[in-house]
Amino acid sequence: MAEDEQHFKTLLKRRLPQYLGASTACMGGFSLGCGLGWSAPCVELLKANHGYGSISITVVASLFPVGAALGLLVVPFIIDKIGRKWTMMFLVPPFVIGWALIATAIPVVPIVVIGRLITGACGGMFCVVAPIYSAEISEKEIRGTLGVFFQLLLVIGVLYAYCCGYSKSVVVTSILCGIAPIVFALLMFFMPESPLHYIAKNKFEDAENSMRFFRGPDFDTRPEIAAFKEQIERTKTEEKVNVLSLARPPMLRTMAVAFGLMFAQQFSGINAIIFYGETIFKQTGVEMDSLLQMVIFAVVQVFACVVSAVLIDQVGRKVLMAVSSIVMCFCLVALGIFFILKDQNPATADSLSWLPLLSACVYILAFCLGAGPIPWAYMGEIFPSNVKGVAASCAGFFNWMLAFIVTMSFSAAAEALGTAVVLFFFAVICCLSVVFILFCMIETKGKTFDEIQREFGTLAVN
Protein backbone atom coordinates (compact mmCIF):
# COMPACT_ATOMS: atom_id res chain seq x y z
CA MET A 1 0.00 0.00 0.00
CA ALA A 2 2.87 2.38 0.89
CA GLU A 3 4.53 1.63 -2.46
CA ASP A 4 1.28 2.32 -4.33
CA GLU A 5 0.85 5.60 -2.47
CA GLN A 6 4.42 6.63 -3.24
CA HIS A 7 3.99 5.71 -6.92
CA PHE A 8 0.80 7.78 -7.06
CA LYS A 9 2.55 10.81 -5.52
CA THR A 10 5.50 10.46 -7.90
CA LEU A 11 3.17 10.17 -10.91
CA LEU A 12 1.06 13.12 -9.78
CA LYS A 13 4.15 15.30 -9.28
CA ARG A 14 5.48 14.41 -12.74
CA ARG A 15 2.10 15.03 -14.43
CA LEU A 16 1.42 18.25 -12.56
CA PRO A 17 2.68 20.45 -15.48
CA GLN A 18 0.19 18.69 -17.78
CA TYR A 19 -2.67 19.45 -15.38
CA LEU A 20 -1.41 23.02 -15.06
CA GLY A 21 -1.10 23.49 -18.83
CA ALA A 22 -4.56 22.09 -19.54
CA SER A 23 -6.11 24.13 -16.71
CA THR A 24 -4.50 27.30 -18.03
CA ALA A 25 -5.63 26.71 -21.62
CA CYS A 26 -9.10 25.90 -20.37
CA MET A 27 -9.31 29.28 -18.64
CA GLY A 28 -10.55 30.16 -22.11
CA GLY A 29 -13.46 27.87 -21.25
CA PHE A 30 -14.00 29.92 -18.08
CA SER A 31 -14.24 33.04 -20.26
CA LEU A 32 -16.70 31.26 -22.54
CA GLY A 33 -18.73 30.20 -19.48
CA CYS A 34 -18.93 33.82 -18.38
CA GLY A 35 -20.47 34.71 -21.74
CA LEU A 36 -22.95 31.85 -21.58
CA GLY A 37 -23.88 32.47 -17.95
CA TRP A 38 -24.21 36.25 -18.39
CA SER A 39 -27.63 35.89 -20.00
CA ALA A 40 -29.44 34.21 -17.08
CA PRO A 41 -29.16 37.09 -14.57
CA CYS A 42 -28.84 39.90 -17.12
CA VAL A 43 -31.91 39.06 -19.23
CA GLU A 44 -34.21 39.86 -16.30
CA LEU A 45 -32.20 43.00 -15.41
CA LEU A 46 -32.35 44.27 -19.00
CA LYS A 47 -36.13 43.83 -18.95
CA ALA A 48 -36.69 45.45 -15.56
CA ASN A 49 -34.09 48.23 -15.49
CA HIS A 50 -33.27 49.08 -19.11
CA GLY A 51 -36.58 48.69 -20.96
CA TYR A 52 -35.49 45.88 -23.30
CA GLY A 53 -38.39 44.28 -25.18
CA SER A 54 -38.78 40.58 -25.91
CA ILE A 55 -37.20 40.88 -29.39
CA SER A 56 -34.15 42.73 -28.07
CA ILE A 57 -33.76 40.17 -25.28
CA THR A 58 -33.97 37.26 -27.72
CA VAL A 59 -31.40 38.85 -30.04
CA VAL A 60 -28.95 39.72 -27.25
CA ALA A 61 -29.20 36.22 -25.74
CA SER A 62 -29.15 34.17 -28.92
CA LEU A 63 -26.47 36.02 -30.91
CA PHE A 64 -23.71 34.82 -28.59
CA PRO A 65 -23.69 31.35 -30.23
CA VAL A 66 -23.86 32.98 -33.67
CA GLY A 67 -20.68 34.86 -32.81
CA ALA A 68 -19.14 31.58 -31.63
CA ALA A 69 -19.99 29.92 -34.94
CA LEU A 70 -18.56 32.80 -36.97
CA GLY A 71 -15.37 32.83 -34.91
CA LEU A 72 -14.76 29.21 -35.77
CA LEU A 73 -14.50 30.11 -39.45
CA VAL A 74 -11.22 31.88 -38.60
CA VAL A 75 -9.61 29.00 -36.64
CA PRO A 76 -8.42 26.85 -39.62
CA PHE A 77 -6.49 29.81 -41.06
CA ILE A 78 -4.40 30.54 -37.94
CA ILE A 79 -4.22 27.50 -35.65
CA ASP A 80 -1.54 25.73 -37.71
CA LYS A 81 0.26 28.93 -38.71
CA ILE A 82 0.78 30.63 -35.36
CA GLY A 83 0.13 27.65 -33.11
CA ARG A 84 -2.39 26.65 -30.46
CA LYS A 85 -0.98 28.88 -27.72
CA TRP A 86 -0.76 32.07 -29.76
CA THR A 87 -4.14 31.51 -31.37
CA MET A 88 -5.61 31.62 -27.86
CA MET A 89 -3.46 34.60 -26.84
CA PHE A 90 -4.60 36.40 -30.01
CA LEU A 91 -8.19 36.19 -28.73
CA VAL A 92 -7.62 38.13 -25.49
CA PRO A 93 -7.73 41.76 -26.80
CA PRO A 94 -10.98 41.35 -28.78
CA PHE A 95 -12.51 39.42 -25.87
CA VAL A 96 -11.82 42.32 -23.50
CA ILE A 97 -13.05 44.86 -26.07
CA GLY A 98 -16.30 42.88 -26.45
CA TRP A 99 -16.99 43.00 -22.72
CA ALA A 100 -16.10 46.71 -22.65
CA LEU A 101 -18.69 47.41 -25.36
CA ILE A 102 -21.37 45.55 -23.40
CA ALA A 103 -20.51 47.29 -20.11
CA THR A 104 -20.41 50.82 -21.53
CA ALA A 105 -23.33 50.78 -23.98
CA ILE A 106 -26.29 49.11 -22.24
CA PRO A 107 -28.87 51.67 -23.54
CA VAL A 108 -27.66 51.15 -27.14
CA VAL A 109 -28.89 47.69 -28.18
CA PRO A 110 -26.87 47.44 -31.45
CA ILE A 111 -23.57 48.01 -29.59
CA VAL A 112 -24.50 45.41 -26.98
CA VAL A 113 -25.28 43.02 -29.83
CA ILE A 114 -21.84 43.71 -31.36
CA GLY A 115 -20.24 43.06 -27.97
CA ARG A 116 -22.09 39.78 -27.66
CA LEU A 117 -21.01 38.76 -31.16
CA ILE A 118 -17.35 39.55 -30.41
CA THR A 119 -17.31 37.75 -27.06
CA GLY A 120 -19.17 34.84 -28.64
CA ALA A 121 -16.63 34.63 -31.47
CA CYS A 122 -13.70 34.53 -29.06
CA GLY A 123 -15.41 31.99 -26.82
CA GLY A 124 -16.27 29.78 -29.77
CA MET A 125 -12.66 29.74 -30.96
CA PHE A 126 -11.49 28.76 -27.48
CA CYS A 127 -13.83 25.77 -27.45
CA VAL A 128 -11.90 24.23 -30.38
CA VAL A 129 -8.34 25.36 -29.72
CA ALA A 130 -8.17 24.65 -25.96
CA PRO A 131 -9.25 20.96 -26.23
CA ILE A 132 -6.76 20.42 -29.09
CA TYR A 133 -3.97 21.94 -27.00
CA SER A 134 -4.96 19.86 -23.95
CA ALA A 135 -5.06 16.64 -25.99
CA GLU A 136 -1.65 17.29 -27.57
CA ILE A 137 0.19 18.01 -24.32
CA SER A 138 -1.24 15.05 -22.36
CA GLU A 139 -0.27 11.42 -21.95
CA LYS A 140 -2.84 8.96 -23.27
CA GLU A 141 -3.59 7.70 -19.74
CA ILE A 142 -4.93 11.10 -18.63
CA ARG A 143 -5.98 12.63 -21.94
CA GLY A 144 -9.67 12.16 -21.16
CA THR A 145 -9.32 13.79 -17.75
CA LEU A 146 -7.53 16.81 -19.20
CA GLY A 147 -10.13 16.96 -21.98
CA VAL A 148 -12.87 17.40 -19.36
CA PHE A 149 -11.03 20.40 -17.88
CA PHE A 150 -12.48 22.62 -20.61
CA GLN A 151 -16.06 21.84 -19.61
CA LEU A 152 -15.12 22.06 -15.92
CA LEU A 153 -13.68 25.56 -16.31
CA LEU A 154 -16.63 26.50 -18.53
CA VAL A 155 -19.22 25.61 -15.87
CA ILE A 156 -17.16 27.35 -13.20
CA GLY A 157 -17.32 30.39 -15.49
CA VAL A 158 -21.11 30.01 -15.71
CA LEU A 159 -21.30 29.83 -11.89
CA TYR A 160 -19.09 32.91 -11.63
CA ALA A 161 -21.40 34.85 -13.98
CA TYR A 162 -24.46 33.80 -11.97
CA CYS A 163 -22.79 34.97 -8.74
CA CYS A 164 -21.89 38.26 -10.43
CA GLY A 165 -25.62 38.62 -11.12
CA TYR A 166 -26.16 39.31 -7.42
CA SER A 167 -24.71 42.75 -8.08
CA LYS A 168 -28.08 43.45 -9.72
CA SER A 169 -26.21 45.48 -12.33
CA VAL A 170 -25.57 44.53 -15.94
CA VAL A 171 -22.57 46.89 -16.02
CA VAL A 172 -20.90 45.39 -12.96
CA THR A 173 -21.61 41.83 -14.12
CA SER A 174 -20.09 42.59 -17.53
CA ILE A 175 -16.96 44.20 -16.06
CA LEU A 176 -16.39 41.26 -13.72
CA CYS A 177 -16.79 38.83 -16.63
CA GLY A 178 -14.31 40.86 -18.68
CA ILE A 179 -11.57 40.16 -16.13
CA ALA A 180 -11.48 36.44 -17.08
CA PRO A 181 -9.60 36.69 -20.43
CA ILE A 182 -6.99 38.98 -18.81
CA VAL A 183 -6.30 36.37 -16.12
CA PHE A 184 -6.05 33.72 -18.86
CA ALA A 185 -3.42 35.77 -20.77
CA LEU A 186 -1.28 36.28 -17.66
CA LEU A 187 -1.22 32.54 -16.98
CA MET A 188 -0.95 31.26 -20.58
CA PHE A 189 2.05 33.47 -21.33
CA PHE A 190 4.23 31.12 -19.26
CA MET A 191 3.01 27.90 -20.91
CA PRO A 192 4.93 26.34 -23.85
CA GLU A 193 3.40 25.63 -27.23
CA SER A 194 2.08 22.14 -28.05
CA PRO A 195 5.01 19.82 -28.92
CA LEU A 196 3.03 18.45 -31.88
CA HIS A 197 2.81 21.94 -33.39
CA TYR A 198 6.54 22.47 -32.94
CA ILE A 199 7.27 19.20 -34.74
CA ALA A 200 4.95 20.20 -37.58
CA LYS A 201 7.07 23.35 -37.95
CA ASN A 202 10.34 21.35 -37.80
CA LYS A 203 11.28 23.00 -34.51
CA PHE A 204 12.50 19.79 -32.93
CA GLU A 205 14.52 21.38 -30.14
CA ASP A 206 11.50 23.44 -29.09
CA ALA A 207 9.35 20.32 -29.27
CA GLU A 208 11.79 18.48 -27.00
CA ASN A 209 11.80 21.37 -24.50
CA SER A 210 8.01 21.51 -24.53
CA MET A 211 7.73 17.77 -23.99
CA ARG A 212 10.22 17.89 -21.11
CA PHE A 213 8.21 20.70 -19.50
CA PHE A 214 5.07 18.57 -19.60
CA ARG A 215 6.70 15.20 -18.79
CA GLY A 216 9.52 16.18 -16.43
CA PRO A 217 13.30 16.25 -17.04
CA ASP A 218 13.83 12.58 -16.14
CA PHE A 219 11.09 11.14 -18.38
CA ASP A 220 12.09 9.42 -21.64
CA THR A 221 10.27 11.54 -24.21
CA ARG A 222 11.83 9.85 -27.27
CA PRO A 223 8.98 7.37 -27.96
CA GLU A 224 6.32 10.11 -27.93
CA ILE A 225 8.47 12.49 -29.97
CA ALA A 226 9.09 9.70 -32.51
CA ALA A 227 5.35 8.93 -32.69
CA PHE A 228 4.55 12.61 -33.28
CA LYS A 229 7.24 12.82 -36.00
CA GLU A 230 5.84 9.74 -37.72
CA GLN A 231 2.35 11.20 -37.53
CA ILE A 232 3.49 14.49 -39.08
CA GLU A 233 5.49 12.72 -41.80
CA ARG A 234 2.42 10.79 -42.92
CA THR A 235 0.44 14.00 -43.28
CA LYS A 236 3.00 15.85 -45.40
CA THR A 237 1.71 14.30 -48.61
CA GLU A 238 -1.60 16.08 -47.95
CA GLU A 239 -0.37 19.14 -46.12
CA LYS A 240 -2.73 21.29 -48.16
CA VAL A 241 -6.18 20.43 -46.87
CA ASN A 242 -9.04 20.64 -49.33
CA VAL A 243 -12.62 19.43 -49.62
CA LEU A 244 -11.45 16.02 -50.84
CA SER A 245 -9.54 15.54 -47.58
CA LEU A 246 -12.84 15.62 -45.70
CA ALA A 247 -14.95 13.87 -48.36
CA ARG A 248 -13.33 10.44 -48.20
CA PRO A 249 -15.44 7.73 -46.55
CA PRO A 250 -13.30 7.25 -43.39
CA MET A 251 -13.23 11.00 -42.75
CA LEU A 252 -16.94 11.30 -43.49
CA ARG A 253 -17.59 8.62 -40.89
CA THR A 254 -15.40 10.44 -38.35
CA MET A 255 -17.10 13.76 -39.12
CA ALA A 256 -20.53 12.10 -38.83
CA VAL A 257 -19.70 10.84 -35.34
CA ALA A 258 -18.41 14.27 -34.30
CA PHE A 259 -21.47 16.01 -35.75
CA GLY A 260 -23.79 13.43 -34.16
CA LEU A 261 -22.32 14.03 -30.72
CA MET A 262 -22.61 17.80 -31.19
CA PHE A 263 -26.26 17.39 -32.22
CA ALA A 264 -26.90 15.19 -29.16
CA GLN A 265 -25.30 17.82 -26.93
CA GLN A 266 -27.23 20.83 -28.19
CA PHE A 267 -30.63 19.16 -28.68
CA SER A 268 -30.52 17.85 -25.15
CA GLY A 269 -31.81 21.39 -24.51
CA ILE A 270 -28.86 22.52 -22.42
CA ASN A 271 -28.47 26.03 -23.82
CA ALA A 272 -32.20 26.74 -23.56
CA ILE A 273 -31.98 25.99 -19.85
CA ILE A 274 -28.73 27.93 -19.34
CA PHE A 275 -29.73 31.02 -21.36
CA TYR A 276 -33.30 31.17 -20.05
CA GLY A 277 -32.76 29.37 -16.76
CA GLU A 278 -33.91 32.15 -14.45
CA THR A 279 -36.98 32.75 -16.60
CA ILE A 280 -37.85 29.01 -16.58
CA PHE A 281 -37.59 28.81 -12.81
CA LYS A 282 -39.82 31.87 -12.43
CA GLN A 283 -42.45 30.16 -14.60
CA THR A 284 -42.57 27.16 -12.26
CA GLY A 285 -44.04 29.35 -9.52
CA VAL A 286 -41.74 27.81 -6.92
CA GLU A 287 -41.15 30.23 -4.03
CA MET A 288 -37.37 30.38 -4.12
CA ASP A 289 -35.21 33.11 -5.55
CA SER A 290 -34.77 32.10 -9.20
CA LEU A 291 -31.17 33.34 -9.34
CA LEU A 292 -30.38 31.26 -6.24
CA GLN A 293 -31.83 28.25 -8.05
CA MET A 294 -29.53 28.96 -10.98
CA VAL A 295 -26.50 29.23 -8.65
CA ILE A 296 -27.41 25.84 -7.14
CA PHE A 297 -27.80 24.61 -10.70
CA ALA A 298 -24.29 25.82 -11.56
CA VAL A 299 -22.72 24.33 -8.41
CA VAL A 300 -24.12 20.96 -9.48
CA GLN A 301 -22.48 21.46 -12.89
CA VAL A 302 -19.09 21.99 -11.27
CA PHE A 303 -19.49 18.92 -9.06
CA ALA A 304 -20.55 16.79 -12.04
CA CYS A 305 -17.58 17.90 -14.13
CA VAL A 306 -15.20 16.96 -11.33
CA VAL A 307 -16.81 13.51 -11.18
CA SER A 308 -16.54 13.22 -14.97
CA ALA A 309 -12.84 14.15 -14.86
CA VAL A 310 -12.26 11.37 -12.33
CA LEU A 311 -14.27 8.75 -14.24
CA ILE A 312 -13.61 9.42 -17.91
CA ASP A 313 -10.26 7.60 -18.09
CA GLN A 314 -11.62 4.81 -15.88
CA VAL A 315 -14.96 3.89 -17.49
CA GLY A 316 -14.48 5.54 -20.90
CA ARG A 317 -16.20 8.13 -23.07
CA LYS A 318 -18.90 5.88 -24.51
CA VAL A 319 -20.35 4.68 -21.21
CA LEU A 320 -20.47 8.19 -19.74
CA MET A 321 -22.16 9.58 -22.87
CA ALA A 322 -24.84 6.86 -22.85
CA VAL A 323 -25.56 7.14 -19.12
CA SER A 324 -25.66 10.93 -19.43
CA SER A 325 -28.27 10.86 -22.21
CA ILE A 326 -30.49 8.32 -20.45
CA VAL A 327 -30.61 10.30 -17.19
CA MET A 328 -31.22 13.60 -19.03
CA CYS A 329 -34.16 12.00 -20.83
CA PHE A 330 -35.86 11.06 -17.55
CA CYS A 331 -35.20 14.49 -16.02
CA LEU A 332 -36.69 16.35 -18.99
CA VAL A 333 -39.79 14.15 -18.84
CA ALA A 334 -40.16 14.88 -15.11
CA LEU A 335 -39.77 18.63 -15.69
CA GLY A 336 -42.29 18.49 -18.55
CA ILE A 337 -44.81 16.66 -16.36
CA PHE A 338 -44.47 19.38 -13.71
CA PHE A 339 -45.38 22.07 -16.26
CA ILE A 340 -48.44 20.06 -17.33
CA LEU A 341 -49.55 19.70 -13.68
CA LYS A 342 -48.97 23.40 -13.11
CA ASP A 343 -51.49 24.20 -15.86
CA GLN A 344 -54.02 21.42 -15.23
CA ASN A 345 -53.72 20.61 -11.54
CA PRO A 346 -52.09 23.50 -9.62
CA ALA A 347 -52.70 21.92 -6.22
CA THR A 348 -50.70 18.83 -7.15
CA ALA A 349 -48.00 21.00 -8.70
CA ASP A 350 -47.71 22.98 -5.44
CA SER A 351 -47.14 19.73 -3.54
CA LEU A 352 -44.33 18.91 -5.98
CA SER A 353 -42.62 22.29 -5.73
CA TRP A 354 -39.31 20.50 -5.13
CA LEU A 355 -39.46 18.69 -8.50
CA PRO A 356 -38.26 21.43 -10.93
CA LEU A 357 -35.06 22.23 -9.08
CA LEU A 358 -34.31 18.55 -8.37
CA SER A 359 -34.97 17.57 -12.01
CA ALA A 360 -32.88 20.44 -13.31
CA CYS A 361 -30.00 19.66 -10.93
CA VAL A 362 -29.94 15.94 -11.82
CA TYR A 363 -30.26 16.92 -15.51
CA ILE A 364 -27.24 19.21 -15.36
CA LEU A 365 -25.32 16.66 -13.31
CA ALA A 366 -25.95 14.09 -16.05
CA PHE A 367 -25.11 16.59 -18.81
CA CYS A 368 -21.78 17.54 -17.24
CA LEU A 369 -20.98 13.91 -16.60
CA GLY A 370 -20.96 13.07 -20.31
CA ALA A 371 -22.86 15.05 -22.94
CA GLY A 372 -21.22 18.35 -21.98
CA PRO A 373 -17.49 17.64 -21.87
CA ILE A 374 -17.09 14.53 -24.00
CA PRO A 375 -18.00 15.85 -27.50
CA TRP A 376 -15.35 18.60 -27.15
CA ALA A 377 -12.72 16.32 -25.62
CA TYR A 378 -13.49 13.61 -28.21
CA MET A 379 -13.04 16.09 -31.04
CA GLY A 380 -9.48 16.79 -29.89
CA GLU A 381 -8.69 13.07 -30.15
CA ILE A 382 -10.26 11.65 -33.31
CA PHE A 383 -9.11 13.85 -36.23
CA PRO A 384 -5.79 13.35 -38.10
CA SER A 385 -3.35 16.20 -37.53
CA ASN A 386 -3.44 17.49 -41.11
CA VAL A 387 -7.20 18.08 -41.01
CA LYS A 388 -7.66 18.65 -37.27
CA GLY A 389 -8.04 22.44 -37.45
CA VAL A 390 -10.54 22.36 -40.31
CA ALA A 391 -12.51 19.31 -39.12
CA ALA A 392 -12.73 20.47 -35.50
CA SER A 393 -13.81 23.93 -36.63
CA CYS A 394 -16.54 22.44 -38.83
CA ALA A 395 -17.84 20.37 -35.92
CA GLY A 396 -17.65 23.38 -33.61
CA PHE A 397 -19.42 25.60 -36.17
CA PHE A 398 -22.20 23.01 -36.41
CA ASN A 399 -22.47 22.90 -32.60
CA TRP A 400 -22.82 26.64 -32.20
CA MET A 401 -25.31 27.01 -35.04
CA LEU A 402 -27.44 24.38 -33.32
CA ALA A 403 -27.04 26.36 -30.09
CA PHE A 404 -28.30 29.46 -31.92
CA ILE A 405 -31.30 27.56 -33.31
CA VAL A 406 -32.21 26.22 -29.86
CA THR A 407 -31.81 29.53 -28.02
CA MET A 408 -33.52 31.55 -30.77
CA SER A 409 -36.51 29.22 -31.07
CA PHE A 410 -36.98 28.03 -27.49
CA SER A 411 -38.92 31.02 -26.20
CA ALA A 412 -41.24 31.16 -29.23
CA ALA A 413 -41.71 27.36 -29.30
CA ALA A 414 -42.49 27.25 -25.57
CA GLU A 415 -45.03 30.05 -26.00
CA ALA A 416 -46.70 28.44 -29.03
CA LEU A 417 -46.60 24.76 -28.01
CA GLY A 418 -46.14 24.94 -24.27
CA THR A 419 -42.94 24.48 -22.26
CA ALA A 420 -43.83 20.84 -21.55
CA VAL A 421 -44.01 19.92 -25.25
CA VAL A 422 -40.60 21.45 -25.94
CA LEU A 423 -39.08 19.60 -22.97
CA PHE A 424 -40.59 16.32 -24.18
CA PHE A 425 -39.07 16.95 -27.61
CA PHE A 426 -35.62 17.34 -26.04
CA ALA A 427 -36.26 14.12 -24.07
CA VAL A 428 -36.96 12.20 -27.30
CA ILE A 429 -33.68 13.47 -28.79
CA CYS A 430 -31.80 12.28 -25.68
CA CYS A 431 -33.39 8.84 -26.08
CA LEU A 432 -32.39 8.61 -29.74
CA SER A 433 -28.89 9.81 -28.86
CA VAL A 434 -28.34 6.69 -26.77
CA VAL A 435 -28.87 4.54 -29.86
CA PHE A 436 -26.43 6.65 -31.86
CA ILE A 437 -23.79 6.48 -29.10
CA LEU A 438 -24.02 2.70 -28.71
CA PHE A 439 -23.77 1.93 -32.42
CA CYS A 440 -21.61 4.72 -33.85
CA MET A 441 -19.23 6.02 -31.20
CA ILE A 442 -15.75 4.45 -30.92
CA GLU A 443 -14.12 4.28 -27.49
CA THR A 444 -10.84 6.22 -27.27
CA LYS A 445 -9.92 5.51 -23.64
CA GLY A 446 -6.21 4.75 -23.21
CA LYS A 447 -5.46 4.77 -26.95
CA THR A 448 -2.80 6.67 -28.87
CA PHE A 449 -3.78 9.02 -31.69
CA ASP A 450 -2.61 6.41 -34.22
CA GLU A 451 -4.74 3.67 -32.62
CA ILE A 452 -7.80 5.92 -32.67
CA GLN A 453 -7.30 6.87 -36.31
CA ARG A 454 -6.74 3.24 -37.24
CA GLU A 455 -10.15 2.32 -35.76
CA PHE A 456 -11.82 5.11 -37.69
CA GLY A 457 -9.86 4.15 -40.81
CA THR A 458 -8.50 7.67 -41.22
CA LEU A 459 -4.85 6.63 -41.40
CA ALA A 460 -5.65 6.03 -45.05
CA VAL A 461 -6.43 9.75 -45.41
CA ASN A 462 -2.80 10.64 -44.83
Side-chain angles (χ1 to χ4, degrees), residues 77 88 119 189 197 207 224 231 234 255 300 323 356 373 402 422:
F77 297 101
M88 291 187 284
T119 53
F189 181 80
H197 174 73
E224 282 188 273
Q231 185 179 344
R234 282 199 309 269
M255 292 289 290
V300 173
V323 170
L402 292 179
V422 179

Side-chain angles (χ1 to χ4, degrees), residues 237-261:
T237 55
E238 286 203 23
E239 188 65 35
K240 187 176 181 180
V241 179
N242 52 45
V243 177
L244 293 178
S245 303
L246 302 179
R248 297 174 181 176
M251 267 307 300
L252 286 177
R253 180 193 176 196
T254 310
M255 292 289 290
V257 173
F259 275 51
L261 293 179

Side-chain angles (χ1 to χ4, degrees), residues 14 208 211-212 215-225:
R14 183 175 66 73
E208 181 70 29
M211 190 68 84
R212 289 201 177 282
R215 300 293 187 272
D218 300 324
F219 186 79
D220 184 6
T221 61
R222 287 174 297 181
E224 282 188 273
I225 291 286

Side-chain angles (χ1 to χ4, degrees), residues 316-330:
R317 288 71 160 149
K318 196 168 182 177
V319 172
L320 286 182
M321 274 296 296
V323 170
S324 172
S325 297
I326 292 169
V327 175
M328 284 193 298
C329 178
F330 283 112

Side-chain angles (χ1 to χ4, degrees), residues 52-261:
Y52 276 48
S54 58
I55 295 176
S56 297
I57 288 293
T58 300
V59 170
V60 167
S62 60
L63 279 186
F64 186 86
V66 171
L70 294 175
L72 287 170
L73 298 177
V74 180
V75 172
F77 297 101
I78 61 176
I79 188 172
D80 291 323
K81 286 185 173 63
I82 65 174
R84 286 75 166 123
K85 172 183 174 176
W86 290 104
T87 296
M88 291 187 284
M89 293 290 282
F90 165 78
L91 299 175
V92 173
F95 221 145
V96 174
I97 290 170
W99 281 117
L101 290 175
I102 295 170
T104 57
I106 299 299
V108 187
V109 177
I111 295 181
V112 174
V113 168
I114 292 171
R116 289 288 283 169
L117 282 170
I118 293 172
T119 53
C122 295
M125 293 171 75
F126 266 121
C127 74
V128 167
V129 185
I132 289 175
Y133 180 85
S134 298
E136 292 180 354
I137 68 171
S138 60
E139 297 172 60
K140 64 180 182 180
E141 291 82 5
I142 60 170
R143 194 173 58 236
T145 298
L146 299 192
V148 172
F149 278 16
F150 183 81
Q151 185 73 18
L152 174 60
L153 269 294
L154 186 152
V155 297
I156 292 174
V158 171
L159 173 60
Y160 173 77
Y162 290 166
C163 291
C164 292
Y166 278 104
S167 67
K168 300 300 180 183
S169 166
V170 178
V171 174
V172 172
T173 300
S174 302
I175 291 172
L176 292 174
C177 288
I179 295 171
I182 298 173
V183 174
F184 161 81
L186 294 175
L187 295 174
M188 193 67 198
F189 181 80
F190 298 99
M191 293 295 115
E193 178 58 84
S194 153
L196 184 63
H197 174 73
Y198 276 137
I199 292 173
K201 296 298 181 182
N202 295 320
K203 297 180 179 179
F204 301 118
E205 185 177 345
D206 290 334
E208 181 70 29
N209 291 335
S210 175
M211 190 68 84
R212 289 201 177 282
F213 176 89
F214 290 119
R215 300 293 187 272
D218 300 324
F219 186 79
D220 184 6
T221 61
R222 287 174 297 181
E224 282 188 273
I225 291 286
F228 279 164
K229 285 182 179 178
E230 183 181 348
Q231 185 179 344
I232 295 299
E233 282 300 319
R234 282 199 309 269
T235 65
K236 283 186 177 177
T237 55
E238 286 203 23
E239 188 65 35
K240 187 176 181 180
V241 179
N242 52 45
V243 177
L244 293 178
S245 303
L246 302 179
R248 297 174 181 176
M251 267 307 300
L252 286 177
R253 180 193 176 196
T254 310
M255 292 289 290
V257 173
F259 275 51
L261 293 179

